[in-house]
Amino acid sequence: MWAAVRAFRSTERPPAAALVAGLAAAACTAYSGDTSWRYAGNRLGMVDTTERAAMFAAAELALFACVLMARANLRGDKGAPGAPGLLVWGITSVQIIPAYSESGFWGGTVRAVLGPVLAALLWHLALDVDLRHAKPEATSNGLAAMVGRELRERLLSRLGLAVRDRSAEQITRDRWTARAVDLAARLADRSDGWRTRRMRRQLSVAVGRAQVGAHPQQRRALLQLLSARLHSGALSTLDLPSPWEFREPVTPPRPATVVAYEQLREMQPIDATLAVASAHPDLDAAGVRAILMDHGVIVSETAVTFALRSSASVHPRALASASAAGQTLFKVHARIDDEPAPDAPEGAPDAQDADLPDAAADLALLPDAQRVEQVHRAQHDRPASLRVLQKQLRIGQPRAQRMRALLDADGSPS
């Protein structure tokens, strides 16, 4: 006995609500069994007591079995009552017939509600079979549940209650706004007459009930709906593209600032510096560097200054009296006034034999070439090669050869 008491205390007992619900469900099942006992003898011809006792409670047992199977499905892998849950309500519907057959309309209603209907509901609650009770966030995907949800949504839409979270006053304003739009659209197609005057009075009442004068948002909704209603005939004349024609997707043009940003980021820093300097000739090195930094090109002010000087050396400014007409890509034809030529270093090519504009440009580039020569000798202890001169001064090979000759003639230490 002590072991039985300990085992009873250690077992997890259901809550009191479930126990009371189970007791009430058993009582309602007995109430339904009484109806089945009377119906089996009076309507089904089961006069033998043994036969009636063995078969009268078949519906009640089937109902309880379906509830248990629905509970197993709900707590198992399916997560829903499934077919047993539908059978519970099917059996309950069939058991209503004996109740009305034995006791008429009013008595049958009492027997049906207190018997099979309450038994099915209480067994669901006692055994925790209801899906919304077990999983409040779950949604039933059964046929009856889907049809019920669809009918509910359609009924709410028909009543004008589809938009939720609205006050009763707002629902009234929306309903009368729709009424005003309908009356105004009908008045637009009518000629003057007593019906027209009556419709105008109705329109005035509808506009007043909609309160469009006191609510700007309601007035805006009224005008938009009325505009769409009055111009609905233009829908038939719209020039729409055929859905059967294949068209390439149209890419919108990119802004010029985005294109410039991407192009400058892809260029070398020196090339980007020269591009910005040519686009903004009035800016100094600090201004050019600021634009480059804004476009994502990281460069120092010293590098910008060096690039601008190299560009000025490679492309010297035209002389005051030079004519720039007829210039070509590889040669510049210019007229030079009769001025004394600058002193050429010893060993340099004769000015009469060399092209005068090229010689002047070479002499202007000579200081930069000397700086490159000095840096290269300090770092590598040898003269700068033609490739170094081409890369540092950004010139071609023929001109690098001439600069190499000028450096050698200048008497740089070898």
Side-chain angles (χ1 to χ4, degrees):
M1 290 179 62
W2 178 245
V5 170
R6 292 182 59 184
F8 178 75
R9 289 181 177 178
S10 62
T11 56
E12 184 178 355
R13 291 182 296 276
L19 292 175
V20 175
L23 182 61
C28 292
T29 303
Y31 203 100
S32 176
D34 178 75
T35 304
S36 299
W37 174 270
R38 295 173 183 271
Y39 186 78
N42 298 333
R43 303 295 181 180
L44 299 181
M46 295 183 184
V47 294
D48 187 26
T49 306
T50 305
E51 179 186 8
R52 188 191 303 185
M55 304 183 65
F56 83 99
E60 284 72 18
L61 291 176
L63 177 65
F64 188 70
C66 288
V67 170
L68 292 178
M69 288 188 291
R71 182 172 182 267
N73 289 340
L74 183 62
R75 297 192 175 185
D77 298 335
K78 294 183 178 181
L86 295 177
L87 289 176
V88 168
W89 301 111
I91 296 172
T92 302
S93 302
V94 172
Q95 285 183 288
I96 294 176
I97 299 175
Y100 283 102
S101 176
E102 290 298 321
S103 302
F105 179 76
W106 298 110
T109 301
V110 174
R111 280 185 174 273
V113 172
L114 297 182
V117 175
L118 275 181
L121 291 174
L122 290 174
W123 281 128
H124 269 73
L125 296 177
L127 298 178
D128 201 11
V129 179
D130 188 34
L131 179 61
R132 284 172 293 183
H133 179 71
K135 299 179 180 179
E137 73 283 355
T139 302
S140 178
N141 294 323
L143 178 61
M146 290 191 294
V147 172
R149 287 196 298 268
E150 187 67 22
L151 291 176
R152 181 188 62 186
E153 295 297 332
R154 289 178 181 270
L155 178 61
L156 291 176
S157 177
R158 184 66 178 176
L159 297 176
L161 303 175
V163 181
R164 312 295 172 82
D165 298 332
R166 294 184 301 169
S167 61
E169 183 181 4
Q170 183 63 38
I171 293 174
T172 303
R173 286 199 300 265
D174 293 341
R175 182 182 295 111
W176 283 103
T177 299
R179 174 66 174 167
V181 170
D182 182 64
L183 291 172
R186 290 164 58 187
L187 275 174
D189 299 332
R190 284 184 174 272
S191 59
D192 195 7
W194 68 272
R195 291 187 176 179
T196 304
R197 292 191 295 271
R198 179 172 176 270
M199 195 174 296
R200 285 177 179 172
R201 289 193 299 269
Q202 293 176 353
L203 176 60
S204 177
V205 173
V207 171
R209 293 289 184 87
Q211 299 182 6
V212 295
H215 297 82
Q217 184 176 1
Q218 202 73 25
R219 181 171 62 252
R220 184 164 53 252
L222 172 65
L223 295 178
Q224 290 177 352
L225 292 174
L226 182 59
S227 176
R229 182 77 177 269
L230 294 178
H231 298 282
S232 59
L235 289 174
S236 60
T237 60
L238 287 180
D239 186 14
L240 298 177
S242 174
W244 315 118
E245 296 179 1
F246 177 76
R247 297 187 179 184
E248 293 290 339
V250 179
T251 56
R254 296 187 301 171
T257 54
V258 177
V259 176
Y261 179 85
E262 294 180 354
Q263 291 181 354
L264 289 178
R265 288 290 301 271
E266 294 176 356
M267 297 170 63
Q268 295 292 333
I270 296 181
D271 297 337
T273 303
L274 297 179
V276 174
S278 62
H280 303 277
D282 55 336
L283 295 180
D284 55 357
V288 173
R289 179 178 179 271
I291 295 179
L292 290 173
M293 296 292 288
D294 292 339
H295 287 77
V297 181
I298 307 301
V299 64
S300 62
E301 188 172 351
T302 304
V304 173
T305 305
F306 180 76
L308 295 178
R309 288 182 179 177
S310 301
S311 176
S313 301
V314 175
H315 305 286
R317 296 181 180 274
L319 299 178
S321 59
S323 175
Q327 295 182 1
T328 61
L329 179 62
F330 300 99
K331 192 174 183 180
V332 179
H333 302 277
R335 179 176 57 80
I336 308 299
D337 290 341
D338 297 333
E339 295 182 359
D343 297 336
E346 185 179 355
D350 192 3
Q352 299 296 330
D353 298 334
D355 192 10
L356 291 179
D358 290 343
D362 292 344
L363 291 176
L365 187 59
L366 183 58
D368 294 334
Q370 290 175 347
R371 286 194 295 271
V372 173
E373 176 79 3
Q374 293 174 1
V375 173
H376 193 271
R377 284 182 178 275
Q379 293 179 352
H380 303 283
D381 196 18
R382 63 174 182 271
S385 61
L386 295 179
R387 185 179 299 275
V388 173
L389 293 176
Q390 293 179 38
K391 183 176 180 181
Q392 296 294 332
L393 301 178
R394 303 179 64 82
I395 57 178
Q397 184 176 1
R399 195 170 188 184
Q401 293 175 353
R402 296 199 302 271
M403 298 308 301
R404 182 70 265 171
L406 289 176
L407 291 173
D408 295 339
D410 192 32
S412 300
S414 57

